[in-house]
Amino acid sequence: MSYEMAGTAVTAGSPGSPSDGTPAPGPADGPLIAALDIGGTKIAGGLVDTRGTLHHRLQVPTPADGDRDELMTAVDHVLDDLARHPAWHRVHALGIGSAGPVDTTHGTVSPVNIPGWRAFPLIEEVSRHPAARHLPLTLGGDALAMTAAEHWQGAARPYRNALCLVVSTGVGAGLILDGALHTGTTGNAGHLGHITIDYNGDPCPCGSRGCLETLASGTAIARTAARLGWRPGPDRDTSTTAVARAARAGDPTALAAFDQAARALAAGIAATATLVELDAAVIGGGVAQAGPLLLDPLARHLTTYAALPFTHHLTLHTARLGTDAGLIGAAALTRRTRPAPR
């Protein structure tokens, strides 16, 4: 098992070769899709053309500890600013990617990291904004949006069957099956972070135990390093970034923490590949920026867990779209899924 880093050639034997990741320029006066990317730290807005080019971007901090009205006010401010853009008249749809869980059947969101929103009727509230009243609205989870973006313009583009993961403070994922985004009934299909990898493992905030997220997220890597005896330097920085610095310097305990996370990810990816027959897995998110620290052991462990012959062709890639994936993916959702109820 080998892997492709963003910006390099696809590994030998993979079924296709993506472009350099730069979307073709869109028509100067063609239709646009408005996009919102709502997370625990920022609420971003953008305008994306029908070829996947992001033409305009802005963001405000998320008042994550605010009440439901304060949070919605921040969303309204982003929509206000977008609507003032000279090209707003070309917008024909609005896509929203949000931290989850989401419920696309009812148009609601309950982000774990935004406690003021529980079963919050986001689609209903956005539809009241003057600039959005005439637009079809589409809602999806942030990991699903990333998956849609990477399949539209990123590392998953050549593949009909792919798993895209966001490995950050949590682990989110989405599926491309038979060339289409697989959303599930409520928009939560492919939620790999909450499959059980260790049935005797630690309790997870979701209510289960031994979830992949408790073993492979950035938070988990820092926690594992501490359990194994790693100690920070004089700056007392215990973050995943600090563990990564120590691992790059050759610290065996820090390296072991990344290895354990990679092993858990490999088990989850291989189980998914066995279940639905994947061609590729795409890894994004902040932890993926550790590069070979995570991806080398991940590729090695996949050779063990992806054991059946029909999983041997699975290729591993790093995501290409970076911080633009949320907005490009929110726009992509309008092309691939039915609009949310209003």
Side-chain angles (χ1 to χ4, degrees), residues 30-56:
L32 295 171
I33 305 164
L36 293 176
D37 177 18
I38 301 173
T41 59
K42 58 113 175 50
I43 298 170
L47 300 178
V48 181
D49 71 26
T50 54
R51 296 181 182 178
T53 303
L54 179 62
H55 288 277
H56 177 62

Side-chain angles (χ1 to χ4, degrees), residues 186-289:
T186 64
N188 291 289
H191 209 331
L192 192 66
H194 292 287
I195 66 168
T196 295
I197 297 296
D198 179 3
Y199 65 85
N200 285 323
D202 292 339
C204 179
C206 78
S208 185
R209 64 186 311 127
C211 290
L212 178 60
E213 187 169 293
T214 69
L215 298 166
S217 67
T219 306
I221 290 171
R223 184 170 59 244
T224 298
R227 283 181 177 176
L228 294 175
W230 178 78
R231 296 293 178 266
D235 59 3
R236 305 183 68 81
D237 184 356
T238 60
S239 67
T240 309
T241 301
V243 177
R245 283 198 302 267
R248 289 191 184 95
D251 185 297
T253 306
L255 286 166
F258 272 94
D259 184 81
Q260 288 195 23
R263 187 175 182 180
L265 282 172
I269 293 168
T272 308
T274 303
L275 186 66
V276 298
E277 295 199 47
L278 297 174
D279 302 315
V282 176
I283 315 297
V287 177
Q289 295 177 11

Side-chain angles (χ1 to χ4, degrees), residues 100-317:
V102 304
D103 184 339
T104 56
T105 302
H106 297 99
T108 61
V109 300
S110 303
V112 173
N113 53 358
I114 305 178
W117 279 356
R118 290 294 174 267
F120 180 74
L122 182 61
I123 290 297
E124 179 183 337
E125 292 294 324
V126 170
S127 71
R128 293 174 178 168
H129 191 281
R133 285 175 185 161
H134 67 290
L135 298 175
L137 309 181
T138 305
L139 173 67
D142 51 3
L144 203 68
M146 175 268 195
T147 300
E150 289 292 332
H151 191 234
W152 189 14
Q153 290 294 346
R157 187 172 184 176
Y159 302 101
R160 289 189 58 78
N161 299 285
L163 172 69
C164 296
L165 298 98
V166 180
V167 186
S168 185
T169 53
V171 177
L175 285 165
I176 300 294
L177 298 179
D178 292 329
L181 188 67
H182 181 69
T183 62
T185 303
T186 64
N188 291 289
H191 209 331
L192 192 66
H194 292 287
I195 66 168
T196 295
I197 297 296
D198 179 3
Y199 65 85
N200 285 323
D202 292 339
C204 179
C206 78
S208 185
R209 64 186 311 127
C211 290
L212 178 60
E213 187 169 293
T214 69
L215 298 166
S217 67
T219 306
I221 290 171
R223 184 170 59 244
T224 298
R227 283 181 177 176
L228 294 175
W230 178 78
R231 296 293 178 266
D235 59 3
R236 305 183 68 81
D237 184 356
T238 60
S239 67
T240 309
T241 301
V243 177
R245 283 198 302 267
R248 289 191 184 95
D251 185 297
T253 306
L255 286 166
F258 272 94
D259 184 81
Q260 288 195 23
R263 187 175 182 180
L265 282 172
I269 293 168
T272 308
T274 303
L275 186 66
V276 298
E277 295 199 47
L278 297 174
D279 302 315
V282 176
I283 315 297
V287 177
Q289 295 177 11
L293 290 178
L294 180 71
L295 296 170
D296 282 353
L298 175 54
R300 185 176 68 252
H301 287 305
L302 271 173
T303 64
T304 298
Y305 289 102
L308 292 169
F310 65 86
T311 65
H312 288 175
H313 71 286
L314 175 69
T315 57
L316 184 62
H317 306 264

